[in-house]
Amino acid sequence: MQHPPCPRCKHISKNNRHRKSFVCECCGFALHADLIGARNIESRARTVRYNLEVQGCSQPPIRELSMDRGPSPGL
């Protein structure tokens, strides 16, 4: 199991996490360990998405516009 990096200074150490708390031994950043994990997942996802968008592999979804502006069914 890889130990999560500190979101502030990116320091990685198994000593940073103590049960449900995360305290970076390098910079002192502290937060609930689950929130640190969620932030790290979000950061990785944003990096992957950015890299895909830069390469042109990921495009925003295309919205199909309906030309029919009549009443909605069931009204």
Side-chain angles (χ1 to χ4, degrees):
M1 180 178 159
Q2 181 182 2
H3 302 289
C6 172
R8 183 184 290 163
C9 71
K10 307 298 182 212
H11 176 73
I12 298 174
S13 173
K14 67 178 184 176
N15 297 328
N16 286 347
R17 184 170 175 155
H18 306 283
R19 296 187 186 195
K20 294 288 183 181
S21 66
F22 180 96
V23 180
C24 180
E25 65 183 4
C26 186
C27 72
F29 182 78
L31 196 61
H32 191 280
D34 290 345
L35 291 174
I36 296 293
R39 287 182 178 188
N40 287 332
I41 290 169
E42 178 189 21
S43 175
R44 289 180 190 146
R46 285 180 185 258
T47 300
V48 169
R49 182 178 173 104
Y50 173 78
N51 289 335
L52 290 174
E53 287 177 355
V54 167
Q55 296 171 9
C57 299
S58 176
Q59 301 289 329
I62 298 173
R63 290 185 173 178
E64 294 185 23
L65 299 176
S66 174
M67 299 306 286
D68 180 26
R69 295 191 179 234
S72 299
L75 291 179

